[in-house]
Amino acid sequence: MTETETALRTLAHNVRTARTRAGLSLDELGRRAKVSKGALVGLEKAQGNPNFATLVRLADTLGISVSALMEGSPEQRVRVVSADAVMPLWKGERGGEARLMLTTGGPAATEVWRWTLEPGEEYPSHPHQTGVTETVSVTVGEMILVVDGTEYPVAAGQTATFDADTTHTYRGTGTETCHLIMTVHLPPGPA
């Protein structure tokens, strides 16, 4: 079995388990997450290729982290994750990408992401559930963080945080690739 097939099977199992635990039918989950019932049926059968936005909407609707949908085994006491071992969940048209490195456990989980954005490349995000905050720390280059229509320049060595329950966009600027670490802080709730 390929790595992709294994990942799809794990995702299928985790979505089905979380949906059942939440007491949601396929129709109701689809309505709340704005995902078609057909796509959900395929997903729960380990078929198809859901995009990053779909995974975020499902996780938000189910009250869990994106990585909780994707991880196959319980957390170990110490985990070391190499960027090469984690598949990108978003790829920009100019070569940028986002990789979910890990999610911390506990009642208020935190996702840790590694991003690259090429100049002029952007990722627009839909609003997350109430209580979700995001933090971006630029390590190389510069970007524009757009929150609810207002632009905030963030350069190497700077960190910004914001309530992510509104529209927001990450945009690469300048002349070099922007490297950043993004964390998503989830409110306490079901894990």
Side-chain angles (χ1 to χ4, degrees), residues 16 71 98 106 119 124 140 148 156 168 178:
R16 187 173 40 256
E71 291 180 349
V140 175
D148 208 17
H168 51 285
C178 178

Side-chain angles (χ1 to χ4, degrees), residues 123-135:
Y123 174 77
S125 180
H126 73 285
H128 298 296
Q129 65 186 0
T130 300
V132 172
T133 59
E134 291 188 13
T135 301

Side-chain angles (χ1 to χ4, degrees), residues 17 30 36 179:
T17 300
S36 73
H179 295 262

Side-chain angles (χ1 to χ4, degrees), residues 141-170:
E142 53 191 277
M143 66 173 286
I144 299 289
L145 170 64
V146 183
V147 179
D148 208 17
T150 302
E151 295 186 356
Y152 302 90
V154 185
Q158 293 182 317
T159 299
T161 189
F162 61 97
D163 293 332
D165 59 357
T166 186
T167 58
H168 51 285
T169 300
Y170 295 162

